[in-house]
Amino acid sequence: IEMEEKKMIKILESLGFETKKKGKEYNVSVPYWRDHDIEASVDFTEEIARVHGYENFPSIFPAGEIQLIHEDPVIRSQHWMKEILKGAGFAEVYSYSFISEKQLFAFGLKKEDAVSLRNPLSSEFEFMRPSLVPSMLTTVEQNQHRFAEADLFEIAPVYIPKKGDIPDEPLHLVIACYGKDGRELFLRAKGALERLMREVGISNWSLKRTRDPSDYLAHYHDGRVAGICVGKEQVGEIGQVSDRLAHEFGLDVTCVLIDIRGAEFFLKCNSVKSFKPIPQFPEVKRDLAFVLDERTEYETIVEKLKKISSLLRLVELFDVYRGKGVDEGKKSIAVHLSFRSDERTLESKEVDE
């Protein structure tokens, strides 16, 4: 509001302030009993306003458009993944963001790989964890004698040291399936990974044969680990915990881990669902079996089959056989093949060809 100088001076003087005009400005002296109360020019404004009466100021709505609040995509994906994994029967783990020097070394890391605390609560909490895996393996060790098998997961930030700056805090995801049968555990973990990728809308993902990525000490059994790739970028691993790592963390059970690292993965999640119309023409199915070398991977067969014809819409594995009738070092893989055209009904002859 606009207010006359005379009125403002009168209000200040009524409160014990002394005023003296100097050119176009005023020097105002603060009374001794308000010495520590009035410290800046805005305090004069407040004194005049409260005596004038706040009820005498007009009520005006703020100008401008109200900004819509957009949820952070990483936080949204985090909540979404938790619901998916809990729906698949996995129990969520909440663990401390700190680990001990023993856990750090057991995982094959050095002191400089982690952020150390100046005033840790105890020797168990000396470092900020640079990975979720040590915390998860500790949780498995603490629960293995209470529950013979379990499926667990944790989504939380880790802390990567940066010289001369505060650490990076990327979001990581770790999934653990533990029990007795390593093959069953691997398939259970892989199934959870497939479901997670499907539900969050990541379709261009694949598993690639890889060696253990750790260059210090092995984390996984060699030959029982695969890289998780989205496009050409590897975002993590799925594998059975190595005997060395299991021994270091006191595991008496077999454990399969999925370790997905980096907020970039969470940004790739897509909640938009796309729908396709129901096909107008029927599909034609055929079953084929291939006798292959034992180490031939199923994925290589699928890739070659899909290059043969654009009419091939689905390849589905339904049997792997080793035994009588199949040479040693070989295996028989049987698959369902589904063919369909969007323009016409296929004839049996062309499908057979």
Side-chain angles (χ1 to χ4, degrees):
I1 61 171
E2 295 290 338
M3 187 181 291
E4 294 181 357
E5 286 185 8
K6 289 181 180 181
K7 185 173 182 180
M8 290 191 279
I9 294 300
K10 185 178 180 181
I11 291 174
L12 289 173
E13 290 179 345
S14 69
L15 296 173
F17 293 85
E18 293 182 2
T19 62
K20 186 176 181 181
K21 191 166 185 179
K22 190 175 182 181
K24 292 185 178 181
E25 298 181 347
Y26 285 85
N27 286 337
V28 182
S29 300
V30 180
Y32 70 88
W33 64 87
R34 301 293 300 277
D35 186 36
H36 295 289
D37 186 23
I38 307 297
E39 297 181 343
S41 60
V42 292
D43 295 324
F44 296 129
T45 307
E46 184 181 357
E47 294 299 306
I48 296 168
R50 69 182 181 86
V51 175
H52 175 71
Y54 292 127
E55 72 279 2
N56 294 318
F57 288 92
S59 298
I60 302 173
F61 282 108
E65 295 182 2
I66 297 176
Q67 296 295 318
L68 296 177
I69 297 175
H70 297 282
E71 187 179 11
D72 185 289
V74 173
I75 295 176
R76 183 176 65 245
S77 299
Q78 177 183 353
H79 293 325
W80 192 8
M81 287 182 184
K82 287 183 178 183
E83 292 303 314
I84 293 167
L85 290 169
K86 286 188 286 186
F90 284 70
E92 185 176 3
V93 170
Y94 288 92
S95 55
Y96 290 111
S97 297
F98 318 105
I99 58 174
S100 65
E101 184 177 334
K102 181 181 178 182
Q103 287 174 296
L104 194 69
F105 289 165
F107 191 58
L109 294 175
K110 305 169 187 176
K111 285 186 177 182
E112 53 266 30
D113 296 326
V115 178
S116 61
L117 299 177
R118 291 181 180 175
N119 55 340
L121 296 174
S122 72
S123 60
E124 297 297 312
F125 303 130
E126 286 188 82
F127 299 91
M128 304 295 289
R129 58 183 177 182
S131 169
L132 297 182
V133 174
S135 300
M136 180 58 78
L137 292 178
T138 301
T139 300
V140 172
E141 186 275 328
Q142 292 171 343
N143 285 276
Q144 61 186 352
H145 299 301
R146 296 183 178 90
F147 306 96
E149 58 181 33
D151 300 326
L152 310 171
F153 78 93
E154 182 173 13
I155 301 175
V158 299
Y159 303 87
I160 310 300
K162 287 176 68 177
K163 191 173 182 180
D165 200 352
I166 60 173
D168 285 333
E169 299 180 31
L171 203 62
H172 285 197
L173 162 66
V174 64
I175 296 172
C177 298
Y178 76 84
K180 292 184 178 180
D181 189 338
R183 175 179 170 80
E184 179 191 345
L185 292 170
F186 189 91
L187 294 176
R188 204 157 76 201
K190 180 171 173 282
L193 180 63
E194 289 175 344
R195 176 172 182 169
L196 182 67
M197 293 295 196
R198 182 176 66 250
E199 293 293 332
V200 299
I202 298 178
S203 59
N204 62 331
W205 75 280
S206 59
L207 295 179
K208 300 294 183 184
R209 180 178 291 277
T210 182
R211 295 187 65 82
D212 193 319
S214 58
D215 55 4
Y216 186 47
L217 291 170
H219 297 161
Y220 302 100
H221 271 290
D222 196 19
R224 302 180 194 176
V225 57
I228 303 169
C229 300
V230 177
K232 295 183 179 180
E233 179 187 1
Q234 183 167 327
V235 297
E237 295 83 39
I238 174 174
Q240 182 178 325
V241 173
S242 67
D243 291 339
R244 181 203 70 81
L245 198 61
H247 175 74
E248 291 286 355
F249 281 88
L251 302 190
D252 298 326
V253 292
T254 301
C255 182
V256 173
L257 292 177
I258 296 173
D259 184 17
I260 295 178
R261 302 177 293 277
E264 292 80 10
F265 170 76
F266 293 85
L267 290 170
K268 295 179 190 297
C269 299
N270 182 12
S271 60
V272 178
K273 301 291 184 181
S274 59
F275 296 87
K276 296 180 180 179
I278 295 174
Q280 295 182 6
F281 301 97
E283 62 182 5
V284 181
K285 295 184 177 181
R286 293 289 187 269
D287 292 347
L288 288 179
F290 304 92
V291 178
L292 307 161
D293 288 336
E294 180 64 54
R295 292 186 62 81
T296 302
E297 296 178 0
Y298 169 67
E299 191 66 27
T300 61
I301 304 302
V302 175
E303 289 176 359
K304 291 187 177 296
L305 286 171
K306 288 185 175 180
K307 291 178 181 178
I308 293 173
S309 173
S310 60
L311 298 176
L312 181 60
R313 300 304 175 93
L314 178 66
V315 180
E316 185 179 13
L317 176 71
F318 72 89
D319 186 45
V320 180
Y321 173 74
R322 302 172 182 86
K324 187 177 180 181
V326 177
D327 294 340
E328 188 175 347
K330 302 281 187 178
K331 63 183 176 183
S332 174
I333 289 182
V335 294
H336 294 305
L337 305 177
S338 296
F339 298 85
R340 192 184 72 247
S341 170
D342 293 330
E343 300 172 351
R344 57 190 173 83
T345 299
L346 297 176
E347 297 181 2
S348 294
K349 183 179 178 182
E350 63 181 319
V351 173
D352 291 338
E353 290 175 355

